[in-house]
Amino acid sequence: MEVQDAPPKKGVTIQKPEIKKPTSGSGPGKNHIYVREAEGRVETTRRVLGFVLMALFVVLPWLTWNGEQAVLLNILDQRFRIFGMTLWPQDLTILAWIFMVSAFALFLITTLFGRVWCGFTCPQTTWTFIFMWFERKIEGSRHQRMKLDERAMDADKFVRKFAKHGVWIIIAWLTAMTFVGYFTDIRALFQNFFVFEASAWAFGSVLFFTFATYGNAGWMREVMCTHMCPYARFQAAMFDKDTYIVAYDEARGEPRGPRKRKSDPRTQGLGDCIDCNLCVQVCPTGIDIRNGLQYECINCGACIDACDSVMDKMGYPKKLISFTTQRRLEGGETKVFRFKSVGYGLALLVLTLLLVADIVLRVPLEFDVIRDRASLYRENQEGWIENVYTLRVINKSQQAQRYTFSVDGVEDMQWYGPQELLLDPESSEIVPVTIAIDPYFIDAPIKEITFTIQSIDEASIKRNVRTNFIYQ
């Protein structure tokens, strides 16, 4: 996809470029983008960050904690294990805080630094660049790939295409296996997958995510960013004149045009841009940054490296294309602290504190008391009044726990049923009990009593539940 040059405009504008006869694209076809390899400080930063995030993604599901998989999001059993902490459906508030903290962190970063998430840390971008790296190693440079696609199918072209797609499928499969390994025992998954002993959902999920990764990173690429990702559509609402973006300095670069290396562009009435078009060739979404900021721009900075290398060769100052702000391009000073950024920052701080408080104050025990509603009460042989209760206990910790039960709120009572319970880690138990009270101590038809469960092993693990004792 090649973009027509637009007349120079002052400032930064958001527009969709006009498309003419395409010369680049992401898969065979007339809209295929042949991305040129970029080298430079921005690309190095992106590669290092991508490598770190990829390493975390691959390593995390293989780590163990107390002999168990450290990170296991077991949806089928409705429990998430995260480094010693097990979250159950009753802990949805913690998950809600995590999602809100992540959202406001993204809002704050976008307000300050634009779409750096898209360009440096988004999985779609990371995997796309990985696929493109292998594509270059197998099929050659941008020019060689274009020539290869123009050729009729021969043995060399078949081998290269077969090797490329084979590598893509292997990477996609490894990605899918690792991703599914976050939701099931990853060691068992790798052992059982090829002998067809993995569960149906695990096997189907691996095939689905293999296909999705292969399709997204290998074929769709920029289509995901420009047409399917909603972030590109609403991120403009978080931009202002002080947001850092990848931008072209029109005042310095225009009018653009070719020239000899040792010639003085000022005598020719030219700016610093030599119109080499490298900034377009290295762009993974195929836009021309010189036309102004466009929603397709993912702030990857590839055009910065390409332009800096040309400026070096020409002996011109760098940063004709750079991470900058509209206010700076207009001659002003960038304001980091402004209403929008401060507001997002305060919201992020409050939500983070609430998340930390919820985790710190969390008791790894769930205790419910359900009174038998089949019969309100009954009188035993001794004349005492009985109520039947069901105690539901969930041990949300990753260690076995011993618990004791007690009841308060009456002076004299009898307990029928177990008063101690040994519960395995991440398990639940239902305990039926009967409470009998001497009618002499019952001064109302409905009397409030309190059940207490206490861990014998850890004094801090304790729960109280209030319920009613009925006699009428």
Side-chain angles (χ1 to χ4, degrees), residues 223-237:
V223 175
M224 295 293 295
C225 302
T226 58
H227 297 293
M228 301 183 70
C229 178
Y231 184 47
R233 305 293 176 172
F234 71 75
Q235 51 89 21

Side-chain angles (χ1 to χ4, degrees), residues 23 45 59 266 352 366 414:
T23 59
T45 301
V59 170
R266 303 297 178 257
T352 302
E366 195 71 26
Q414 293 178 349

Side-chain angles (χ1 to χ4, degrees), residues 115 156-157 254 311:
R115 294 183 65 184
D156 176 68
K157 182 175 181 178
E254 299 297 329
M311 294 297 102

